[in-house]
Amino acid sequence: VVGPVLRELVAQTAPADGDFLMVYFSNGHVHFTPRVEAALKELDCPVLVYGVRREGRDRNLNFRPPSNTRFVEDLARSRAVFATAGNQLISEAMFFRKPLLLLPEDSLEQRLNAAAIEKMDVGMRTHRNTVTADQLRRLLAARDRLAANIPDPPADGQARAVAAIEEYARELTGKD
């Protein structure tokens, strides 16, 4: 285990505690259902939404266009994150100490990621057909407790990953 390999922009961005929930769905056309939208609109806080084909505002929802820099800045400043369960986003959210409500896609990797987050007690999981505003409120209410359970990130996962790959390459080639 080498820990997360963070993008340079993430590693250089300072976290802060914002008042908004950040939402990111890698397949927004599948996961941003009317049920999910209704649950988000019931919240008493701003919600920034990435990964759907909409822009502008609708009540407390602010739909953001794709953006690398702004996405990372918003992630770093969010109160918590509601997202699909991809490894990269989970690693980055945990780096910024943001608790998660995960909505895994239909893949083994994402279901395992969501189960691990729940077992670590740094977040929760749900399904697009069962999402409720109460689940989202529980995430926001448990924010401090869940964030306190997030382990400190290991130092420089990228350097450790490269070192491990180089070591295995030497073993395979028999060259030192």
Side-chain angles (χ1 to χ4, degrees):
V1 176
V2 298
V5 176
L6 300 172
R7 297 179 285 162
E8 187 175 334
L9 177 60
V10 172
Q12 294 175 351
T13 302
D17 289 329
D19 65 346
F20 60 90
L21 175 67
M22 182 164 169
V23 176
Y24 171 72
F25 297 131
S26 53
N27 288 304
H29 64 283
V30 173
H31 299 293
F32 194 76
T33 64
R35 178 185 188 101
V36 168
E37 183 172 2
L40 292 168
K41 285 181 176 178
E42 284 186 45
L43 299 178
D44 292 328
C45 70
V47 178
L48 303 185
V49 182
Y50 282 90
V52 300
R53 293 186 181 122
R54 284 167 65 179
E55 289 187 33
R57 292 185 182 271
D58 184 0
R59 294 174 36 185
N60 63 324
L61 307 183
N62 185 347
F63 296 92
R64 302 282 197 167
S67 169
N68 191 33
T69 302
R70 190 165 190 188
F71 177 87
V72 170
E73 290 170 351
D74 286 341
L75 179 61
R77 294 183 310 108
S78 67
R79 180 159 177 76
V81 178
F82 175 38
T84 43
N87 184 62
Q88 190 67 36
L89 178 70
I90 291 170
S91 296
E92 292 175 0
M94 289 180 64
F95 176 77
F96 292 129
R97 308 195 78 72
K98 306 301 177 183
L100 299 142
L101 175 61
L102 296 175
L103 194 155
E105 295 195 39
D106 285 336
S107 73
L108 178 61
E109 179 223 349
Q110 290 220 355
R111 287 192 305 270
L112 289 172
N113 289 346
I117 289 304
E118 201 167 56
K119 184 174 181 162
M120 294 170 64
D121 198 26
V122 299
M124 305 170 228
R125 62 181 154 166
T126 189
H127 187 274
R128 68 179 174 266
N129 297 329
T130 60
V131 172
T132 66
D134 284 340
Q135 287 176 318
L136 294 161
R137 285 186 199 104
R138 281 194 303 275
L139 171 71
L140 294 168
R143 188 251 178 251
D144 292 340
R145 180 185 63 78
L146 295 170
N149 294 335
I150 296 173
D152 290 332
D156 198 357
Q158 182 174 356
R160 291 181 63 192
V162 169
I165 291 168
E166 289 174 347
E167 178 183 334
Y168 292 126
R170 282 191 300 275
E171 288 177 15
L172 290 172
T173 62
K175 297 178 183 177
D176 284 329

